[in-house]
Amino acid sequence: MANKKRLLCFKCNKELELKKTDFSYLGHTFFTEVPACPRCGQVYISEELVKGRISEVEMQLEDK
Ligand SMILES: [Zn+2]
């Protein structure tokens, strides 16, 4: 299970840490952990992560 990629901030060259962040997409607000730079606070939201969260939320919405 060693599939964790080490992400580095391009600016600071610091290893990113998971940070709970909220972001909005298509009118929905998501609260999830994203890799963020502990120094400058830059977050890296991958398309993959967004799509994963979107489909989760969409399923929840349809399940009502
Ligand atoms: Zn940084």
Side-chain angles (χ1 to χ4, degrees):
M1 298 293 278
N3 197 27
K4 264 194 172 180
K5 269 189 263 175
R6 279 164 55 97
L7 293 167
L8 295 174
C9 178
F10 295 118
K11 279 189 273 185
C12 318
N13 206 35
K14 291 270 283 179
E15 191 172 348
L16 302 182
E17 297 172 352
L18 283 181
K19 183 185 164 191
K20 285 207 166 171
T21 311
D22 59 328
F23 63 98
S24 38
Y25 179 83
L26 295 178
H28 299 292
T29 303
F30 302 93
F31 190 66
T32 190
E33 285 189 328
V34 295
C37 175
R39 190 163 157 199
C40 71
Q42 176 67 57
V43 295
Y44 292 84
I45 299 173
S46 68
E47 202 179 323
E48 208 174 290
L49 176 105
V50 172
K51 279 182 184 163
R53 291 293 296 168
I54 299 296
S55 54
E56 264 178 49
V57 171
E58 280 175 350
M59 276 163 63
Q60 284 167 17
L61 292 175
E62 283 171 12
D63 209 33
K64 271 181 193 167

